[in-house]
Amino acid sequence: MTPTGEPQSSRREFIRLAGAGAIALPLASLAGCAHLGAAADPLPSWNDTGAKKSIVAFVQRTTTAGSPDFVPVPERIAVFDNDGTLWAEQPMYFQGFFVLDRVKALAPQHPQWKTKEPFASLLKGDMKGVAAAGEKGAVELLAATHTGMTTEEFTRTVSDWIATARHPGTGKLYTEMVYQPMLELLAYLRANGFKTFIVSGGGIDFMRPWTERVYGIPPEQVVGSSVKTRFEMRGNTPVLVKLPEIDLNDDKEGKPIGIHSRIGRRPIAAFGNSDGDLAMLQWTAAGAGPHFCLYVHHTDAQREWAYDRASHIGRLDKGLDEAKARGWTVVSMRDDWKTIFAH
Amino acid sequence: MTPTGEPQSSRREFIRLAGAGAIALPLASLAGCAHLGAAADPLPSWNDTGAKKSIVAFVQRTTTAGSPDFVPVPERIAVFDNDGTLWAEQPMYFQGFFVLDRVKALAPQHPQWKTKEPFASLLKGDMKGVAAAGEKGAVELLAATHTGMTTEEFTRTVSDWIATARHPGTGKLYTEMVYQPMLELLAYLRANGFKTFIVSGGGIDFMRPWTERVYGIPPEQVVGSSVKTRFEMRGNTPVLVKLPEIDLNDDKEGKPIGIHSRIGRRPIAAFGNSDGDLAMLQWTAAGAGPHFCLYVHHTDAQREWAYDRASHIGRLDKGLDEAKARGWTVVSMRDDWKTIFAH
């Protein structure tokens, strides 16, 4: 997660472009109406193309008693990336907007930030200045906004923010920018005995306060990047304090590591959208039994965003080649999804 | 976990004492028969004493709709220590016996161990010599037996061992030395919508291969001590290699840390047997809603072992005081349990 994900244009430029219609409003409400009659279809927002067929075929052959590919319920583990797979991630990871908002909210308590980079640039809205501070700057922003407080305090802060903050481009709540077809896929898998997990490079404490409400995925089925915590007694009350020290970097090779550490068995289905998910898909594909790997390919510049090999956010390059070579399912958001956003 | 848990007596001495009857055989098979008629009782191996009553009362008030203490199903998280709470832990943690057996099995590949401590003492059966190597020696034994292999290789090794290795005192499989009343308690809680987790100082990769079969607790609901792993491609096959570096020390203050990190919400019920569980019980008791904390007190020298404040394994000293001060349930194995072992 880096809040400097859009080095080529400032946040203000993005908002201007978005306002000028460069980012079309999603067609969710219209597209949804066309399918009221298809109650029996568990994936109504999916076009009847190869992607949908491959999903349904996998679920049928792994859940039909007597099928040579039958998988017992406890082993039906499905893992989902979050940013770019379950919700949008442009023009930067939404957790980046949380960082921006938190720095602004905390600035009055930190007068020295007015002259200290990358805080000074951020407070002036100069995202190029923030980007110039590089990874070291990003780490400082994360430390200032994600550590030093108790886990309960951080949960409250995230809960308050996610309930009110709006995406600068679409004006939606961030939790309204989740993908309707993926919500249907989560529900379809769960209805067929799968246990659904998030395995995300995003912060675990940033996701857990709302994943159950939004995705139906409870906190204990969320794996994400995390910092270490320290146990303290404050009077008679035990607290956990978030420390500026990485515990798990749950991205790339960190995803199989997180899966082993937190879930403890190999998934049979994995869903991602970027090279950051490739190791997770490879790990899933290396299982002894049947498996299913799927990439969401961002191909819809009209209804969402179009990006892949050259993007600095959610780059899909090696993964796209490997998906083609190995016959993994690649979803074209433009062609395979009737609806993009859930709201 | 330390394989040097019995510094006062060698393993051979222990076996001699056990063979002489100092450790009575458990009465599980006899005691079990007396209760065939009590099908409606979910806790038939529990005497009708205060401990059992407190459990049933807690479950009733948290699961009865309309009760002021009603807790919604997703929040019914119950955490259990393993060693000394779900299965026995004397004369040393069972994972210690695994270490002993693995060093012996691996010795032919490591001729240098014949002269290198603590391996040399261990191979001669001199547990005092092993103990003399202290914590540094224990770490070397753990590293030699728990790291360097892939996670899949380690899982196979544990699965083979747990299926055949027998406790030197009782002659039972280790998985036969699980507590029948606790199995009933796990099932009772699950039948009432609780999700049951293990939160143990023991190794997570040591527990996960058998907890589902033995306790009905799947791998993803096991939290334990762990080492870091490294993701590697071996040809086209991704593997995770276990490294000699601690990831989580899931004991004492590490238990709330592990609960936050791996489960992500606060339990409403916690079960332990030692001071190593105190922080977990305190963390549970600090929740805003109803909660239940229970200590298993090892008071039965006839059917199991009797130890508490002075024991070097499973010491229960501060925890016993705090339990009394705070009104937590303390189970006397001698007085509250009809049956000890499940087999």
Side-chain angles (χ1 to χ4, degrees):
Chain A
M1 208 287 304
T2 160
T4 61
E6 187 74 347
Q8 304 308 318
S9 72
S10 75
R11 188 181 174 194
R12 241 173 301 162
E13 277 176 314
F14 166 73
I15 295 171
R16 183 181 56 74
L17 287 168
I23 298 159
L25 285 175
L27 304 174
S29 53
L30 286 175
C33 298
H35 305 284
L36 290 175
D41 181 354
L43 301 172
S45 298
W46 292 71
N47 284 317
D48 197 23
T49 48
K52 178 177 179 170
K53 285 174 186 165
S54 72
I55 292 167
V56 173
F58 174 74
V59 169
Q60 287 181 346
R61 70 192 173 91
T62 53
T63 61
T64 303
S67 156
D69 282 344
F70 179 79
V71 175
V73 167
E75 291 167 30
R76 294 181 198 163
I77 303 290
V79 289
F80 289 79
D81 172 56
N82 184 40
D83 298 309
T85 299
L86 294 180
W87 74 355
E89 60 180 352
Q90 295 289 358
M92 68 177 175
Y93 298 127
F94 295 171
Q95 195 173 352
F97 290 116
F98 172 76
V99 170
L100 301 188
D101 289 348
R102 288 308 296 156
V103 168
K104 288 171 194 165
L106 294 168
Q109 300 164 43
H110 301 272
Q112 74 281 15
W113 284 357
K114 281 181 193 160
T115 53
K116 189 186 173 197
E117 291 299 348
F119 301 95
S121 290
L122 189 157
L123 292 170
K124 285 181 283 186
D126 171 14
M127 293 306 286
K128 279 180 193 162
V130 174
E135 193 176 323
K136 186 169 164 289
V139 168
E140 283 183 61
L141 292 172
L142 280 170
T145 54
H146 284 66
T147 71
M149 70 291 286
T150 69
T151 52
E152 296 221 318
E153 288 163 353
F154 188 76
T155 295
R156 274 197 300 275
T157 301
V158 170
S159 298
D160 291 347
W161 182 84
I162 202 84
T164 56
R166 288 180 181 273
H167 188 275
T170 65
K172 291 170 179 285
L173 294 176
Y174 292 102
T175 51
E176 293 175 334
M177 292 179 70
V178 300
Y179 302 132
Q180 177 62 26
M182 297 305 282
L183 294 187
E184 293 168 6
L185 177 55
L186 287 167
Y188 175 54
L189 289 172
R190 288 194 291 258
N192 281 280
F194 284 77
K195 204 164 184 176
T196 53
F197 288 82
I198 290 173
V199 178
S200 168
I204 194 166
D205 289 341
F206 176 73
M207 295 184 283
R208 280 176 164 163
W210 49 270
T211 56
E212 189 158 33
R213 171 173 60 84
V214 173
Y215 300 133
I217 297 179
E220 62 270 23
Q221 287 162 227
V222 177
V223 182
S225 294
S226 59
V227 294
K228 292 186 189 293
T229 59
R230 182 181 59 232
F231 181 87
E232 273 182 24
M233 292 301 290
R234 292 188 178 172
N236 286 323
T237 306
V239 297
L240 292 171
V241 180
K242 287 167 67 73
L243 305 177
E245 195 183 342
I246 288 291
D247 179 40
L248 174 65
N249 181 3
D250 192 41
D251 194 28
K252 301 187 178 74
E253 290 78 7
K255 292 204 176 200
I257 289 169
I259 287 168
H260 173 74
S261 162
R262 271 60 173 177
I263 304 176
R265 54 180 146 201
R266 198 186 296 255
I268 66 164
F271 304 83
N273 77 299
S274 79
D275 286 355
D277 303 310
L278 180 55
M280 175 169 81
L281 271 60
Q282 290 169 327
W283 182 247
T284 301
H291 61 267
F292 185 79
C293 294
L294 180 150
Y295 264 128
V296 173
H297 189 188
H298 292 264
T299 53
D300 197 325
Q302 289 301 308
R303 298 185 298 172
E304 207 242 5
W305 284 269
Y307 57 96
D308 47 31
R309 296 185 192 273
S311 178
H312 52 276
I313 293 263
R315 173 171 304 181
L316 179 61
D317 181 31
K318 284 184 192 172
L320 201 51
D321 293 336
E322 187 143 343
K324 286 175 182 174
R326 301 178 67 157
W328 294 343
T329 295
V330 178
V331 168
S332 166
M333 290 175 74
R334 184 188 55 203
D335 304 320
D336 294 325
W337 286 0
K338 288 178 184 154
T339 306
I340 304 285
F341 293 122
H343 301 278
Chain B
M1 208 289 303
T2 159
T4 61
E6 187 74 344
Q8 304 310 320
S9 73
S10 75
R11 187 182 175 195
R12 240 174 303 164
E13 277 177 315
F14 165 72
I15 296 170
R16 183 182 56 75
L17 287 168
I23 299 158
L25 285 175
L27 304 175
S29 53
L30 286 175
C33 298
H35 306 283
L36 289 174
D41 181 356
L43 300 172
S45 298
W46 292 70
N47 284 317
D48 198 23
T49 47
K52 177 177 180 172
K53 285 174 185 164
S54 72
I55 293 167
V56 172
F58 174 75
V59 169
Q60 287 181 345
R61 69 192 173 92
T62 53
T63 62
T64 303
S67 157
D69 281 345
F70 179 79
V71 175
V73 167
E75 292 166 29
R76 295 182 198 161
I77 303 290
V79 289
F80 289 80
D81 171 56
N82 185 41
D83 298 307
T85 300
L86 294 179
W87 74 355
E89 61 180 352
Q90 295 287 0
M92 67 176 174
Y93 297 128
F94 294 172
Q95 196 173 353
F97 289 116
F98 172 75
V99 169
L100 301 187
D101 288 348
R102 288 308 297 156
V103 168
K104 288 173 194 163
L106 293 167
Q109 300 163 43
H110 301 272
Q112 75 280 15
W113 285 355
K114 279 182 195 160
T115 54
K116 190 185 173 197
E117 291 300 345
F119 301 94
S121 289
L122 188 158
L123 291 170
K124 284 182 282 186
D126 171 14
M127 293 305 287
K128 279 181 193 164
V130 174
E135 194 176 325
K136 186 170 164 289
V139 168
E140 283 184 62
L141 292 172
L142 280 171
T145 54
H146 285 66
T147 72
M149 69 293 283
T150 69
T151 52
E152 296 220 318
E153 288 163 353
F154 187 75
T155 295
R156 274 196 299 275
T157 301
V158 170
S159 298
D160 291 347
W161 183 84
I162 202 83
T164 55
R166 289 180 181 273
H167 188 276
T170 66
K172 291 171 179 282
L173 295 175
Y174 292 102
T175 52
E176 292 175 335
M177 293 178 71
V178 301
Y179 303 131
Q180 177 63 24
M182 297 305 282
L183 295 186
E184 293 168 7
L185 177 55
L186 287 167
Y188 174 56
L189 289 172
R190 288 194 291 259
N192 282 281
F194 284 77
K195 205 164 183 175
T196 53
F197 289 82
I198 290 172
V199 177
S200 168
I204 194 166
D205 290 340
F206 176 74
M207 294 183 285
R208 279 174 164 164
W210 50 269
T211 56
E212 190 157 31
R213 170 173 61 83
V214 174
Y215 299 133
I217 297 179
E220 62 269 23
Q221 288 164 223
V222 177
V223 181
S225 294
S226 58
V227 293
K228 292 186 187 295
T229 59
R230 182 179 60 231
F231 180 87
E232 271 183 25
M233 292 299 292
R234 293 189 176 171
N236 287 322
T237 305
V239 297
L240 292 171
V241 180
K242 288 168 67 73
L243 305 176
E245 194 182 345
I246 288 291
D247 179 40
L248 173 65
N249 181 3
D250 193 41
D251 195 27
K252 302 188 178 74
E253 290 78 8
K255 293 204 174 198
I257 289 169
I259 287 169
H260 174 74
S261 163
R262 272 60 172 178
I263 304 176
R265 55 180 146 200
R266 197 186 297 254
I268 66 164
F271 304 83
N273 77 299
S274 79
D275 285 355
D277 303 311
L278 180 55
M280 174 169 83
L281 270 60
Q282 289 170 326
W283 182 246
T284 301
H291 61 265
F292 185 79
C293 294
L294 180 150
Y295 264 127
V296 173
H297 190 186
H298 292 263
T299 53
D300 197 325
Q302 288 301 309
R303 298 185 297 172
E304 207 241 4
W305 286 269
Y307 56 98
D308 47 33
R309 297 183 191 273
S311 179
H312 51 276
I313 294 263
R315 174 173 303 182
L316 180 61
D317 181 30
K318 285 183 191 172
L320 202 51
D321 293 337
E322 188 143 343
K324 286 175 182 173
R326 301 179 66 158
W328 294 344
T329 295
V330 178
V331 168
S332 166
M333 291 175 73
R334 185 189 53 204
D335 304 320
D336 295 324
W337 286 0
K338 287 178 184 154
T339 306
I340 304 284
F341 293 122
H343 302 277

